[in-house]
Amino acid sequence: MDYFISDTHFGHKNVIRFCNRPFKTVTEMNDKIIENWNNIVTDADRVFVLGDVALCATGEAKFYIEQLNGHKVLIKGNHDFNEKRMLEVGFDEFHNSYDYRMPDGRLALLEHRPIPDCMIDEKYDLMMHGHIHISEKVRGKKINVSCDIWEFEPIPIKVL
């Protein structure tokens, strides 16, 4: 099964305050996201992470990413390291954007930052993105997969 998530911000203490996350400490936040992820995702699954995985040192990011189940595909966000470093911390794939074929045949553009519906190329039926932590889950042709609005867990493709 394929899953989607963005903006986990592992190791980023201030995201709790900035986004009004329901955690007292960054350790509590990190542990809850990892627990939620691993309760849903198996090693046979694929997870598309649409950016902003961690905001911490490389070694610390590696500590978090290596705990996560599944084949991890990163779509680069504005807080992510370069391709070489992200593969070193535990991602299986790295992309700046990704064309994803939905089970019903629709084509989705996967990127970290949303773009206006009118800017989505005619070849795409929809866009999945992160970056916006507090917003509607669906807006026009866009699906926001930020963990802040999806209970801090990966979203299965069957829900989208």
Side-chain angles (χ1 to χ4, degrees):
M1 167 118 22
D2 286 344
Y3 292 87
F4 301 84
I5 192 168
S6 75
D7 302 287
T8 51
H9 284 261
F10 288 117
H12 186 194
K13 177 182 167 186
N14 288 331
V15 77
I16 296 169
R17 181 172 44 89
F18 295 158
C19 296
N20 198 29
R21 288 187 173 186
F23 307 106
K24 291 184 175 139
T25 66
V26 71
T27 300
E28 179 187 354
M29 177 186 75
N30 297 336
D31 290 347
K32 186 61 175 174
I33 293 171
I34 292 167
E35 176 187 356
N36 287 352
W37 180 305
N38 288 337
N39 283 339
I40 296 169
V41 177
T42 71
D43 282 334
D45 297 322
R46 183 169 62 163
V47 182
F48 289 87
V49 181
L50 277 61
D52 288 3
V53 175
L55 196 59
C56 55
T58 305
E60 186 179 350
K62 183 178 176 99
F63 173 76
Y64 304 126
I65 303 311
E66 288 185 339
Q67 292 181 62
L68 301 171
N69 293 340
H71 180 88
K72 296 172 283 290
V73 180
L74 177 66
I75 311 304
K76 187 182 187 315
N78 54 295
H79 290 296
D80 297 321
F81 303 126
N82 64 36
E83 180 175 7
K84 181 180 180 206
R85 285 176 73 189
M86 294 312 289
L87 294 173
E88 287 172 358
V89 302
F91 278 91
D92 300 296
E93 296 180 41
F94 177 99
H95 304 274
N96 289 310
S97 66
Y98 191 92
D99 288 1
Y100 180 83
R101 183 66 61 187
M102 304 287 285
D104 63 6
R106 293 177 297 162
L107 185 61
L109 171 63
L110 276 54
E111 288 193 1
H112 176 62
R113 293 176 189 252
I115 57 176
D117 283 355
C118 64
M119 300 288 293
I120 297 173
D121 189 295
E122 288 181 10
K123 81 176 191 176
Y124 298 106
D125 299 297
L126 61 120
M127 173 185 206
M128 284 189 241
H129 68 87
H131 191 66
I132 309 298
H133 294 245
I134 309 297
S135 180
E136 298 99 353
K137 292 177 179 177
V138 178
R139 187 174 189 176
K141 294 173 83 175
K142 296 182 289 296
I143 300 171
N144 185 349
V145 299
S146 173
C147 70
D148 292 275
I149 58 175
W150 290 91
E151 307 298 325
F152 302 97
E153 60 188 35
I155 309 131
I157 186 63
K158 64 186 177 188
V159 171
L160 306 173

